Amino acid sequence: MRTELRRIFDAESRPTIVCLCGSSRFYDAFQQANYELTMAGEIVLSIGFYPHAAARHGYGEGVAPDSVEKVVLDELHKRKIDLADYVYVLDVDGYVGESTTSEIAYAAEHGIPVRYLSEGQQQLAGGRGVL
C-alpha cells in the first residue's frame, strides 16, 4: 500500500479535502487530478458531469451556459468549495473561464487557499515536485 494511503488509516484527523475547479472541457485533466490527489490520500470533490465532453462520453447534454440548471450546478459547486481545505484550479493551457473565475473569487472571499495546475507544471519543469 502506498505510504500516502497508509497515513489515512493511521491519521488521528481526517484527510485533506480538495475541490477541483476548471472548465468541464478538460475531462482528462479532471480525471488525472482526481486520481493523483486520491492516491496522495486526499478526499477529492469534483464536478458532477462534463457537458463539453458529451459527444465523447455520452452524457452532460442539455445544460446550456445560461440555463437554470447551470446556475444551480454552479451554486452546488460552491457548496463543495465550502467543504474543502483548498481549491485546485485545473487551468489547462492557462485557461480560466467565467465560472471558474467566480469559484476562485468565492474561495478567496471565504479564506480557502487556491492552487493552480500551472503552478505544479512549473514546479515539475523545475524538478521540484508535482503539487
Side-chain angles (χ1 to χ4, degrees), residues 18-58:
V18 56
C19 183
L20 303 180
C21 293
S23 173
S24 63
R25 72 184 71 178
F26 300 130
Y27 177 84
D28 292 335
F30 273 92
Q31 299 312 305
Q32 181 177 353
N34 192 340
Y35 171 77
E36 290 175 359
L37 294 167
T38 296
M39 295 309 288
E42 296 188 9
I43 296 171
V44 180
L45 305 175
S46 187
I47 59 178
F49 74 102
Y50 303 84
H52 289 289
R56 182 172 166 195
H57 301 286

Side-chain angles (χ1 to χ4, degrees), residues 3-4 9-10 18 25-26 28 40 47-48 50 65 70 74 80 83 90 99-100 118-119 123 125 129:
T3 304
E4 297 90 351
F9 298 108
D10 298 333
V18 56
R25 72 184 71 178
F26 300 130
D28 292 335
I47 59 178
Y50 303 84
K70 173 72 166 112
D74 284 350
K80 293 177 184 180
L83 299 171
L90 302 176
S99 291
T100 304
S118 60
E119 292 171 350
Q123 287 179 353

